[in-house]
Amino acid sequence: MFKISLFICFTSLLLLSCDTNKRITTDFNCDIKTSGILENVTDVKELFSIKIPVNWKTNLYQDEIQSSIFSADTTKQLSETVLLDVTFMEKNVNFNEAFKLKQEQENLSKNLITIRSKDLLLLNKPAYYMLLKGKKGKFNYQVCNTFIKVNSSNFILAKTEVYGDSLVNSRLCKSFSLIENIKILQ
């Protein structure tokens, strides 16, 4: 009887720990998916791929330690679009207090204030995001830096930028729906 009770208790705890809060879209109450025709874009080093709307302008970049895909819908004004920069970094990251403090200090030096941050699982990997708010030029500005630990030697930084005050959460959600479908190829 005790073994059965212990099993039920353990199973309940396991199920509770596997809630939907492991998706970034849950934290932002997203019910929006990126619509339209998507194309699969692979970075130059063939480390990851992401599906991007075909009408977005996309640029690829690489150097010794990173490989990036930068994309945005350039058919819209800056205050109506989202900018997405996904970078695979050949560098270790640990989401400990020192890392979080360093991020906070760097963001404060750029006059960015943290609205929220959270540890979570993304792509079945440990992840950490920071949603920040500030001003760039004449625009109010929000940026969400999402760090995804790929393994002990690599991480992905998915950076979403939104300018202006119109439909901010909706535009963030469109970006998050793309980020949640990144494929790690290595």
Side-chain angles (χ1 to χ4, degrees):
M1 189 65 163
F2 176 72
K3 287 182 180 180
I4 293 172
S5 296
L6 188 60
F7 175 76
I8 291 171
C9 238
F10 177 74
T11 304
S12 297
L13 284 173
L14 187 60
L15 289 173
L16 287 173
S17 68
C18 294
D19 67 8
T20 56
N21 271 343
K22 294 181 178 168
R23 295 179 59 113
I24 195 167
T25 51
T26 303
D27 281 2
F28 288 82
N29 298 316
C30 296
D31 60 0
I32 296 170
K33 297 285 184 201
T34 300
S35 58
I37 301 169
L38 302 177
E39 68 177 330
N40 197 49
V41 179
T42 302
D43 72 300
V44 176
K45 294 183 178 183
E46 298 183 349
L47 300 168
F48 72 98
S49 67
I50 185 170
K51 290 186 179 189
I52 302 286
V54 295
N55 63 320
W56 286 23
K57 180 168 175 42
T58 300
N59 292 314
L60 304 177
Y61 172 81
Q62 74 162 342
D63 64 24
E64 299 81 37
I65 64 165
Q66 67 184 359
S67 185
S68 299
I69 298 172
F70 177 82
S71 195
D73 184 353
T74 57
T75 64
K76 295 181 179 176
Q77 293 183 14
L78 184 60
S79 61
E80 297 173 355
T81 192
V82 61
L83 288 77
L84 177 61
D85 185 358
V86 181
T87 303
F88 190 103
M89 301 287 294
E90 296 175 19
K91 187 175 180 185
N92 185 28
V93 67
N94 290 306
F95 306 130
N96 55 26
E97 291 308 311
F99 168 82
K100 293 173 184 177
L101 181 60
K102 181 180 178 194
Q103 292 302 311
E104 188 68 35
Q105 289 171 337
E106 287 177 11
N107 292 322
L108 284 172
S109 73
K110 298 173 188 172
N111 295 319
L112 294 170
I113 306 297
T114 302
I115 298 171
R116 70 174 102 159
S117 61
K118 184 175 182 179
D119 290 293
L120 69 157
L121 283 179
L122 192 54
L123 313 178
N124 293 318
K125 307 281 186 192
Y128 176 73
Y129 77 80
M130 300 178 75
L131 179 64
L132 309 153
K133 188 174 194 170
K135 199 157 182 91
K136 268 199 177 178
K138 64 179 183 173
F139 292 105
N140 289 328
Y141 166 77
Q142 288 191 34
V143 59
C144 187
N145 292 325
T146 306
F147 299 87
I148 306 162
K149 186 177 181 98
V150 175
N151 56 38
S152 62
S153 305
N154 305 292
F155 72 93
I156 290 175
L157 170 57
K159 180 178 178 180
T160 301
E161 296 178 280
V162 174
Y163 291 81
D165 298 316
S166 175
L167 301 171
V168 171
N169 199 68
S170 171
R171 291 186 283 152
L172 287 170
C173 286
K174 285 180 184 178
S175 177
F176 298 152
S177 72
L178 297 172
I179 292 168
E180 286 185 339
N181 291 298
I182 293 171
K183 300 284 185 242
I184 300 168
L185 304 175
Q186 74 170 106

